[in-house]
Amino acid sequence: MKAERQKKILEIINKHAVETQEELADRLQKDGIRITQATISRDIKELRLVKVATGDDRYRYAVQGDKIYAGDQTKTRRIFKDSVVALDYSENLIVVKTTPGAAQSVALVIDYEGFREIIGTVAGDDTVMVVVKPKSAVKKIIGKFASYL
């Protein structure tokens, strides 16, 4: 039952821009799957779903690491531009402030950009920490991020 339900969730979010847990529950119920909000919340966590910007000041569920970013620089730059509110740095760390709930999407965009100077990103709810090596590359990376805005 759980595997079938989670498979259906993935199918739904791939076909539709689902913005809320309530919308997901409604779609599941239309397909004959009765579900509680708590179960949806657990499924979202287990499936590692994230909210990604759609470019029109809205967000939708997507699979973390999904290739929705790959090869589409217009979309990735739009996600970055729509979500990032501030950039700052200290030593070899860059802090990217985002709108609430958008940090994971922005971190994923940064990861997919493939900067060899970036050795990792850590995302919270509205902040992404970017680790850069060597330290001398920080201003170049900040400049590149600023150009996306």
Side-chain angles (χ1 to χ4, degrees), residues 123-142:
D125 182 61
D126 64 356
T127 304
V128 180
M129 183 177 67
V130 182
V131 182
V132 180
K133 183 179 178 183
K135 180 170 64 171
S136 59
V138 167
K139 287 188 180 180
K140 171 189 155 195
I141 301 295
I142 283 275

Side-chain angles (χ1 to χ4, degrees), residues 1-146:
M1 182 78 178
K2 178 180 173 179
E4 290 176 33
R5 183 183 65 244
Q6 289 184 347
K7 181 179 176 184
K8 188 65 174 175
I9 289 171
L10 293 173
E11 182 182 308
I12 289 170
I13 66 164
N14 283 323
K15 287 183 181 178
H16 306 282
V18 177
E19 298 180 49
T20 65
Q21 290 183 8
E22 294 80 17
E23 183 181 348
L24 183 56
D26 289 344
R27 289 187 179 278
L28 286 166
Q29 288 189 3
K30 285 178 185 171
D31 288 338
I33 299 173
R34 296 184 52 84
I35 191 163
T36 65
Q37 189 278 328
T39 301
I40 285 184
S41 185
R42 278 191 300 274
D43 284 344
I44 287 170
K45 186 174 184 175
E46 288 177 18
L47 292 168
R48 301 187 72 197
L49 301 182
V50 295
K51 288 260 187 136
V52 297
T54 62
D56 54 359
D57 292 329
R58 298 174 83 160
Y59 294 86
R60 63 180 284 275
Y61 282 106
V63 176
Q64 186 173 359
D66 200 352
K67 299 295 183 186
I68 61 171
Y69 303 105
D72 188 349
Q73 286 193 337
T74 303
K75 183 181 270 188
T76 60
R77 304 287 162 79
R78 187 174 63 235
I79 289 168
F80 202 89
K81 182 178 181 178
D82 290 348
S83 303
V84 173
V85 295
L87 300 167
D88 203 354
Y89 68 95
S90 177
E91 298 291 325
N92 71 320
L93 301 176
I94 298 173
V95 175
V96 181
K97 296 297 286 180
T98 72
T99 56
Q104 290 182 4
S105 299
V106 170
L108 198 54
V109 167
I110 292 168
D111 292 342
Y112 275 108
E113 285 294 299
F115 294 105
R116 66 179 181 275
E117 300 91 348
I118 295 176
I119 60 175
T121 58
V122 179
D125 182 61
D126 64 356
T127 304
V128 180
M129 183 177 67
V130 182
V131 182
V132 180
K133 183 179 178 183
K135 180 170 64 171
S136 59
V138 167
K139 287 188 180 180
K140 171 189 155 195
I141 301 295
I142 283 275
K144 199 69 157 161
F145 289 172

